[in-house]
Amino acid sequence: MQIVYELTPVIADIISAHCPGTRAREEFVKACIRGDWHEAREMVEGMLAEPQWLRGHQERRLKEFLELMKLH
């Protein structure tokens, strides 16, 4: 699970970039710290539901995070 915690800030930055002016980044980090993997997974899936807004390697990183979540 260490890798999930290492990826948390990366995923949080992606979420923050697409939800400016909101507390989405903080809510995602809190969910991960609390171990609320269902909430964290839903946030990532929400980002993947609109892939046209993702840039560069963001989609790959989000999918990688979801794969790691399956192992937990």
Side-chain angles (χ1 to χ4, degrees):
M1 278 317 287
Q2 183 63 31
I3 188 69
V4 171
Y5 290 112
E6 291 174 12
L7 274 177
T8 295
V10 174
I11 303 304
D13 287 344
I14 294 171
I15 290 171
S16 178
H18 294 281
C19 304
T22 69
R23 297 188 41 82
R25 183 186 201 289
E26 291 81 8
E27 293 301 320
F28 176 77
V29 171
K30 283 181 188 177
C32 291
I33 290 171
R34 287 189 314 254
D36 188 349
W37 303 117
H38 178 74
E39 182 177 345
R41 187 177 300 115
E42 283 184 348
M43 293 180 81
V44 172
E45 288 172 346
M47 295 296 300
L48 287 169
E50 298 181 335
Q52 70 273 17
W53 301 110
L54 301 173
R55 289 177 245 131
H57 299 286
Q58 292 177 338
E59 184 174 6
R60 182 179 57 80
R61 287 298 212 171
L62 292 169
K63 287 180 179 180
E64 178 182 346
F65 189 81
L66 283 182
E67 285 300 314
L68 292 169
M69 298 292 297
K70 289 179 184 177
L71 300 175
H72 186 270

